[in-house]
Amino acid sequence: MRQPLVVGNWKMNGSLQFISNLLHSIQSNIDDKISCEIGVCVPFVYVGLAIDVAGKSSIKVGAQTVSEHTSGAYTGEVSASMLEELGCHWVLVGHSERRQLFNEVNEQLVTKVMAAQRAGLIPIYCVGETEAERKSGDTFSVIEKQINALIDNESINLTNLVLAYEPVWAIGTGLTATPDEAQEAHAFIRQLVKNKAGDLADKLRILYGGSVKADNAETLFHQEDIDGGLIGGASLDANAFISICQMA
Ligand code: PEP
């Protein structure tokens, strides 16, 4: 049995006040109806604040990217051990905005996952096809390349990892994969992991991301291989985020 997980990706939004208010509101609305694990991935500069505000609550804080390097002359970068020292739990790796806007590629992303795991963080490795790739029938080959780059690497610990399927055309667009489309991609990803790691694949959580809202979360989360969500826009609204957590 996989415990559902809902993670908010706050992207480059907020201020000290906003982050503090949002986290307080989420926290004060967590009740017995919520049995999923909850995470929020915040901008680097707010990690410390978010960890302080989250305190002893069940919300686990994460970052949105991490350096693949351990330390040294990498101006502007933040290492996995720095994040771990602050108390981070998760780190997103390979979000489509990192892939598209910052040219991060599979090979580099795998080294980021390794760096995160070495430091004791749980990476959330994101994959997904663009609209053009889906239209040209390349969805599954793209996903396969992204997943195989990771699982073919013997240094990756598959027990300390979360995957996220996020079709790029659905991120921040209001378009969502249908529950069947999402389930098909999730089942495909789980099978790829199964081919490599057998039964371990059944324990691996695979989140869906792409315009998940309170009104579409339930049908998505009902799918067999969808273990929760990675939530962008809707995670900036405490009520919407809490409703999504309740569905999970
Ligand atoms: C995301 O950024 O990971 C995401 C899924 O965004 P949105 O929910 O806004 O589509």
Side-chain angles (χ1 to χ4, degrees):
M1 178 74 180
R2 300 182 290 269
Q3 186 189 13
L5 167 64
V6 176
V7 177
N9 173 14
W10 291 354
K11 310 196 186 193
M12 197 176 72
N13 291 299
S15 62
L16 289 171
Q17 195 61 56
F18 178 88
I19 297 275
S20 173
N21 291 347
L22 178 56
L23 208 42
H24 276 298
S25 311
I26 293 173
Q27 230 171 325
S28 58
N29 280 295
I30 295 178
D31 57 20
D32 295 349
K33 281 191 245 152
I34 295 180
S35 56
C36 68
E37 200 175 6
I38 301 177
V40 289
C41 290
V42 308
F44 284 141
V45 290
Y46 299 135
V47 164
L49 168 73
I51 287 169
D52 282 350
V53 176
K56 291 195 184 353
S57 79
S58 55
I59 302 171
K60 292 176 183 150
V61 174
Q64 299 170 9
T65 182
V66 66
S67 172
E68 62 269 41
H69 303 290
T70 311
S71 64
Y74 301 101
T75 303
E77 291 290 273
V78 173
S79 75
S81 62
M82 292 171 184
L83 294 173
E84 193 278 335
E85 191 181 20
L86 282 180
C88 257
H89 187 80
W90 323 98
V91 64
L92 302 180
V93 176
H95 187 279
S96 68
E97 286 150 19
R98 299 299 312 177
R99 291 178 184 268
Q100 297 202 312
L101 303 174
F102 302 97
N103 303 317
E104 294 188 356
V105 294
N106 288 333
E107 203 175 61
Q108 177 190 19
L109 295 170
V110 173
T111 61
K112 286 181 184 243
V113 170
M114 286 194 286
Q117 289 190 330
R118 271 198 309 272
L121 301 174
I122 301 194
I124 302 175
Y125 178 75
C126 308
V127 301
E129 79 289 358
T130 62
E131 186 179 16
E133 288 161 346
R134 178 160 280 263
K135 281 192 174 144
S136 61
D138 294 326
T139 297
F140 294 98
S141 62
V142 168
I143 297 174
E144 187 168 8
K145 241 185 235 154
Q146 293 168 332
I147 293 289
N148 282 348
L150 184 76
I151 62 178
D152 285 347
N153 187 309
E154 301 291 336
S155 304
I156 299 296
N157 177 357
L158 294 172
T159 59
N160 237 349
L161 178 77
V162 173
L163 298 178
Y165 168 61
E166 298 204 300
V168 181
W169 48 270
I171 296 181
T173 58
L175 300 172
T176 320
T178 64
D180 286 347
E181 282 170 339
Q183 166 57 24
E184 192 184 20
H186 281 236
F188 177 74
I189 292 169
R190 199 176 302 286
Q191 189 58 50
L192 289 174
V193 179
K194 200 165 259 186
N195 296 345
K196 184 80 193 170
D199 290 348
L200 214 143
D202 294 326
K203 301 203 173 97
L204 184 70
R205 290 183 290 187
I206 310 176
L207 310 183
Y208 171 79
S211 299
V212 176
K213 309 275 180 240
D215 60 4
N216 61 19
E218 191 169 10
T219 46
L220 285 161
F221 295 167
H222 261 128
Q223 303 302 309
E224 194 180 334
D225 289 290
I226 298 182
D227 305 311
L230 180 54
I231 319 297
S235 69
L236 294 168
D237 175 326
N239 291 331
F241 187 65
I242 284 291
S243 301
I244 292 168
C245 292
Q246 283 165 350
M247 313 270 175

